[in-house]
Amino acid sequence: MSAILTLAVKDLRLLLRDRVGFFFTFFFPLLYSVFFGILFSGTSKGPSAIPVAIVNEDRTPASDEFVSSLRKTSSLALDLVDSRDAAVDLVRRGVRSAYVVIPPGFGDASQRLFWGAPMRLEIGTDPGQAMTAGMIEGLVTARAFERMQRLFTDAQAMRDNARRSLEAVRSSTGLSGLQRTLLETLLTSVEALPDMFAAQKSAADTQPDGTTQPAFGGWRPVEITTSQVTRPAAAGRPRYPSSSFAICFPQGIIWGVMACAATFAASLLVERTRGTLPRLTVAPFARWHILAGKAAACFFTTAGLIVALLFVARLGFGVRPASLPLLLVAILCVTVAIVGLMMVLSVLGKTEQAVSGISWALIVVLAMLGGGMLPLAFMPPWMQTLSDVSLVKWAILALEGAIWRGFSPAEMTLPCGVLLSVGVVGFAVGAGVFRWSEQR
Amino acid sequence: MLRLVGLRKTFGTVVAVDGLSLEIRRGEVFGLLGPNGAGKTTTISLAIGQLRPDAGTVTLDGAGSPADPHVRRCIGVAPQALALYDELSGEENLRFFGRLYGLGGSTLRQRVARLLDFVGLTERRRDRVATYSGGMKRRLNFAVALVHEPVLILLDEPTAGVDPQSRNAIFEFVQTLKSEGRTVVYTTHYMEEAQRLCDRVAIMDHGRLLALDAVTGLLGRADRPTVVVVERAAGEERIETADPKAELVRALDQPDVLGVRVERPDLESVFLTLTGRRLRD
Ligand SMILES: Nc1ncnc2c1ncn2[C@@H]1O[C@H](COP(=O)(O)OP(=O)(O)OP(=O)(O)O)[C@@H](O)[C@H]1O
Ligand SMILES: [Mg+2]
């Protein structure tokens, strides 16, 4: 044991002596995280959009159109789900911050705006997200108004609408003569309405707190029922990134730790070519101690790097982990996988240069596949499936799971299990194939 | 002390060591002499358990095979290829290897200080090895072999690439070790080193043992007689003789002689006799 420690300390000392190597190990991933964090934080699409589940129970052309208009709203990340229950569940688990249900009758109601039951929408939000709830309500109302406005700019649709409303008024029994006259007058002067609705729409858009004022002093073209979805305490924090840094730091970390694997793999080769490895092999301990020492050095450096970067992320960029214990588990698993990767890389070439070259090629491929360059969410589905083969995917998932995805311990099992297996199998295979002496 | 029996090692199609058997005695300086590629380094590597032989055994007196880590504790080796961390200082290198042998605390400190002094690197101890000269690296490489005070020390070409001064220093180190009663195996392709330092010398070529004897015994095997060379203005005259003293006296009597010298058979000529080739081409 003390031999392993001695070997590891020597490697850490060598790493510290190598200023350039040290710089790349610690500052490159930091630069990466900060650079891309800032780059992505500038765009309104993507990570900063509010994740909303939408259920279309109406399934009419009108409701479909409404869904697609919401989809075009940049500040909403819309996810169409099949059932109300599924949507409620997503919010309860924190995967989405709100759900919107378009109940049956929405399409009918939108065909006759001025009479009968208004268009109805149901919104459910996480009570911890009052601001978000208000914003969603505002945005949904705005889209509903927009829809009406569009109906009125279409002359034919407008006439149809007025006609249907008039029919409804005329056949109604619950109206006084005066009311009837007023409504008929109103509906026959529909040409004036588009401007009116346009004005209403902009009013809805500009409410500072995001809520909408009822139009026409009590008459509401869209009626929104809100409900709160209480999340069980165990569900932790919401499952979407607090900022682009919550995405870019895990990515930067993965780059950094893979560079660590490459560095230590190459250092094993350097020991062989410079002759220190033969000297180590004649020291009074079994050979696996030497690999264990290298693994320990790689382990400490990798874990130290992750912790250091997460500290910077926390203190400098407000990235708070959802669960500290799970984050520690994730760090451990990523580190183990990196040690396995190191061992595999060390047997891919005969010289330091060959191993460094091959390592980088492999790292770039793994990162490309696994979402280390472009986040997986932006990839086509087939590529997301293909990414399963890259440990980068699982490493990012484990870190994100603990940082912002709010994974439960059960959900952490898959990525962590994959990482641990990669680590153990990689190390065993690499150590088995490793050549102790140079074959010229 | 160290017994090698029927050792054989091949690298691909190259037979580096071919059925080698030797016994090294306690307290002697044992020379392993042979041209480049003779298999000296491979023999050392096999002897210290760094390479596994294809056939044959290595046994260290009373301890067993050096394949066993515990046995390796009493062996020290200064490899031909320098085995040092360039980015660490001389002192750090010694401390690191000392720790690997379980040393620590004041024992390690004292031993490191003594060894640095022994090899004359005390002043440069804090400098990175990368800044050392070739000779300094050799001396440090040598010191590292001694840090755990082994009883058996194997030095693989310890004078390769060093200036005459460092070379003499290394000769003195070896003699000191011998006087301390340690066993030294010394490989070289410089016959004069073997002649000067070694009690017994094994001559190797193509992985095989050609001869093994004390230096005087080996010299007797040369089929070349002693030659007295008489230098005159016109040129050199070479006189083969069994009685060099008489030839010398005779030559000195002659008026036109500028100088005389005696060429005794040396290990070089023994090698020539044994193989028909010169030791160094
Ligand atoms: N690791 C190796 N891979 C392939 N061939 C090797 C290896 N080590 C030694 N050889 C071959 O084995 C033979 C013996 O080599 P070795 O290094 O033992 O010779 P040596 O006597 O030490 O030579 P030198 O005086 O040049 O150091 C040579 O032909 C060499 O090419
Ligand atoms: Mg050699």
Side-chain angles (χ1 to χ4, degrees), chain B:
Chain B
M1 180 82 207
L2 181 70
R3 192 195 302 264
L4 314 179
V5 180
L7 283 186
R8 186 182 161 83
K9 179 75 190 177
T10 54
F11 297 102
T13 56
V14 178
V15 183
V17 174
D18 190 4
L20 183 74
S21 298
L22 291 177
E23 189 173 353
I24 290 148
R25 298 175 192 149
R26 187 175 295 274
E28 74 176 342
V29 177
F30 185 97
L32 206 50
L33 186 67
N36 289 142
K40 304 181 295 292
T41 299
T42 309
T43 304
I44 298 275
S45 303
L46 292 168
I48 59 179
Q50 186 200 314
L51 286 180
R52 288 192 209 306
D54 299 338
T57 56
V58 179
T59 334
L60 195 71
D61 252 10
S65 160
D68 174 359
H70 289 294
V71 175
R72 294 202 292 265
R73 201 173 280 280
C74 34
I75 303 176
V77 61
Q80 177 177 6
L82 294 168
L84 302 165
Y85 292 100
D86 275 357
E87 297 311 314
L88 299 182
S89 69
E91 191 173 33
E92 285 169 331
N93 268 284
L94 278 169
R95 294 180 69 84
F96 166 67
F97 286 107
R99 284 210 185 85
L100 287 187
Y101 284 84
L103 300 172
S106 61
T107 321
L108 180 62
R109 230 185 350 267
Q110 284 165 14
R111 212 171 277 181
V112 167
R114 212 182 56 226
L115 280 170
L116 285 168
D117 185 47
F118 183 53
V119 297
L121 287 173
T122 305
E123 268 180 36
R124 300 289 305 270
R125 68 184 186 280
R126 300 250 158 83
D127 297 342
R128 290 184 188 195
V129 171
T131 68
Y132 286 13
S133 72
M136 292 162 85
K137 287 182 187 171
R138 272 284 156 217
R139 283 183 275 152
L140 182 64
N141 194 46
F142 181 87
V144 170
L146 306 177
V147 71
H148 56 293
E149 305 208 313
V151 289
L152 173 64
I153 298 144
L154 298 102
L155 307 173
D156 195 357
E157 312 224 6
T159 56
V162 304
D163 64 8
Q165 216 178 327
S166 281
R167 192 183 179 111
N168 278 328
I170 287 168
F171 290 168
E172 279 168 34
F173 302 153
V174 173
Q175 272 149 359
T176 310
L177 294 176
K178 181 178 155 69
S179 70
E180 289 171 1
R182 306 210 226 166
T183 310
V184 179
V185 176
Y186 190 108
T187 84
T188 181
H189 52 253
Y190 296 109
M191 40 90 198
E192 62 276 13
E193 288 186 5
Q195 229 161 320
R196 174 169 165 187
L197 288 173
C198 302
D199 300 308
R200 291 194 307 148
V201 173
I203 298 180
M204 279 188 82
D205 195 22
H206 299 306
R208 290 205 196 89
L209 182 65
L210 299 181
L212 168 59
D213 204 343
V215 175
T216 45
L218 284 175
L219 292 178
R221 297 200 196 184
D223 58 6
R224 205 177 115 186
T226 304
V227 176
V228 173
V229 183
V230 182
E231 293 169 16
R232 295 192 175 84
E236 289 188 352
E237 184 192 357
R238 301 176 64 89
I239 307 160
E240 292 185 3
T241 174
D243 185 3
K245 197 175 161 193
E247 276 307 323
L248 268 177
V249 172
R250 208 168 56 81
L252 285 171
D253 271 353
Q254 297 168 13
D256 60 338
V257 170
L258 300 172
V260 281
R261 67 173 197 275
V262 182
E263 283 183 2
R264 292 188 178 280
D266 50 18
L267 291 179
E268 176 78 51
S269 47
V270 176
F271 186 78
L272 193 67
T273 307
L274 291 170
T275 64
R277 291 189 290 122
R278 303 188 68 81
L279 201 49
R280 275 171 287 156
D281 310 303

Side-chain angles (χ1 to χ4, degrees), chain A residues 248-402:
Chain A
C248 292
F249 265 91
Q251 281 186 323
I253 285 171
I254 297 310
W255 278 104
V257 295
M258 288 199 297
C260 269
T263 302
F264 282 101
S267 87
L268 207 41
L269 270 287
V270 170
E271 298 234 27
R272 191 163 70 197
T273 51
R274 301 258 177 93
T276 44
L277 189 66
R279 183 162 241 159
L280 297 180
T281 61
V282 297
F285 41 71
R287 289 186 178 181
W288 65 262
H289 287 78
I290 300 168
L291 296 183
K294 197 59 84 178
C298 182
F299 184 96
F300 291 135
T301 310
T302 304
L305 175 65
I306 301 179
V307 169
L309 287 172
L310 287 176
F311 254 103
V312 176
R314 169 74 190 82
L315 299 177
F317 301 91
V319 178
R320 278 168 191 275
S323 159
L324 199 57
L326 287 182
L327 185 58
L328 292 177
V329 171
I331 293 173
L332 179 80
C333 295
V334 171
T335 306
V336 167
I338 288 300
V339 170
L341 177 66
M342 180 271 297
M343 200 61 237
V344 169
L345 294 179
S346 76
V347 299
L348 294 184
K350 282 188 175 178
T351 63
E352 177 197 355
Q353 290 77 9
V355 164
S356 297
I358 295 170
S359 296
W360 277 104
L362 196 69
I363 284 171
V364 168
V365 171
L366 286 177
M368 241 159 39
L369 284 178
M373 289 183 175
L374 187 68
L376 280 183
F378 299 156
M379 290 185 181
W382 64 269
M383 235 172 123
Q384 295 194 17
T385 313
L386 190 64
S387 70
D388 283 359
V389 302
S390 170
L391 73 90
V392 171
K393 172 193 178 146
W394 303 105
I396 290 180
L397 199 61
L399 290 174
E400 287 187 347

Side-chain angles (χ1 to χ4, degrees), chain A residues 189-260:
Chain A
S189 51
V190 284
E191 284 87 350
L193 282 173
D195 293 340
M196 191 170 73
F197 282 109
Q200 282 301 323
K201 181 206 165 253
S202 59
D205 274 354
T206 52
Q207 292 298 325
D209 61 352
T211 56
T212 48
Q213 295 291 317
F216 297 93
W219 180 75
R220 300 169 61 120
V222 50
E223 190 178 291
I224 294 177
T225 327
T226 57
S227 55
Q228 298 198 331
V229 183
T230 314
R231 303 178 51 210
R237 284 162 40 82
R239 300 183 174 204
Y240 42 89
S242 54
S243 70
S244 51
F245 293 105
I247 288 181
C248 292
F249 265 91
Q251 281 186 323
I253 285 171
I254 297 310
W255 278 104
V257 295
M258 288 199 297
C260 269

